[in-house]
Amino acid sequence: MGRIKSENFSLPQNAFVRFNHCLANPARLAILEYLLSRKSSTLSDVLQAINLGNDALRKHLKELVETGFARYDIVRGIPLFKANYLTFEKWLRMVNQMHRSFLELEAGHPAQPFSIDNIDPEDIEDELEEIRWEKE
């Protein structure tokens, strides 16, 4: 079986897959749970709270930041990490649209065929821009 080429799929489809891939890791979920429980956290704070090595934690934080689920600000030379609500909102809109299509189908209503591409691009514009940049 060959590798799936992301360029064969739409930008919204790639964004949705990227969001889900990021969330499909228990270490990243644990980090997000921790970040969601605090206003902001230093790397040391997260290290003490999550049972991961320094390198692994840095790798997972980098993925969370690159995907948009986390962000950081530099305060007095120290990065302070926090969860990014806007990315959760974008991901949730995608999941909710899929869920609504399923419910309509189950209720026997003629529904417009579900497509991630029907999501308003403004809802996920930042993620789409990141994917466009990576493809270049």
Side-chain angles (χ1 to χ4, degrees):
M1 187 156 103
R3 184 179 166 140
I4 296 173
K5 296 181 180 179
S6 63
E7 60 268 6
N8 292 341
F9 301 95
S10 71
L11 291 172
Q13 288 168 333
N14 281 299
F16 189 67
V17 167
R18 186 167 181 197
F19 287 156
N20 286 301
H21 174 76
C22 183
L23 296 175
N25 181 287
R28 286 192 287 269
L29 282 177
I31 294 166
L32 277 172
E33 287 174 355
Y34 180 78
L35 293 177
L36 285 165
S37 71
R38 303 203 165 25
K39 197 168 187 171
S40 64
S41 301
T42 65
L43 183 64
S44 300
D45 295 335
V46 183
L47 257 174
Q48 288 177 357
I50 308 295
N51 189 22
L52 285 175
N54 192 1
D55 290 342
L57 178 63
R58 287 175 186 270
K59 180 185 105 176
H60 290 302
L61 277 170
K62 180 180 180 199
E63 177 74 19
L64 290 166
V65 168
E66 287 176 351
T67 307
F69 282 108
R71 62 187 184 93
Y72 67 93
D73 297 314
I74 305 291
V75 177
R76 295 186 199 120
I78 299 171
L80 296 176
F81 294 91
K82 52 186 83 174
N84 186 358
Y85 173 77
L86 293 175
T87 301
F88 280 102
E89 176 93 6
K90 292 172 190 178
W91 174 78
L92 193 55
R93 285 182 188 174
M94 292 174 164
V95 171
N96 282 336
Q97 182 177 345
M98 190 178 292
H99 183 246
R100 278 191 305 275
S101 294
F102 175 77
L103 291 176
E104 289 175 11
L105 181 65
E106 285 293 303
H109 299 300
Q112 177 182 355
F114 172 75
S115 173
I116 276 292
D117 293 327
N118 293 337
I119 294 172
D120 183 352
E122 289 184 14
D123 288 343
I124 55 171
E125 188 56 41
D126 293 340
E127 183 62 25
L128 297 180
E129 188 58 39
E130 178 70 22
I131 290 171
R132 281 187 204 106
W133 181 81
E134 286 178 359
K135 285 185 175 183
E136 293 176 357

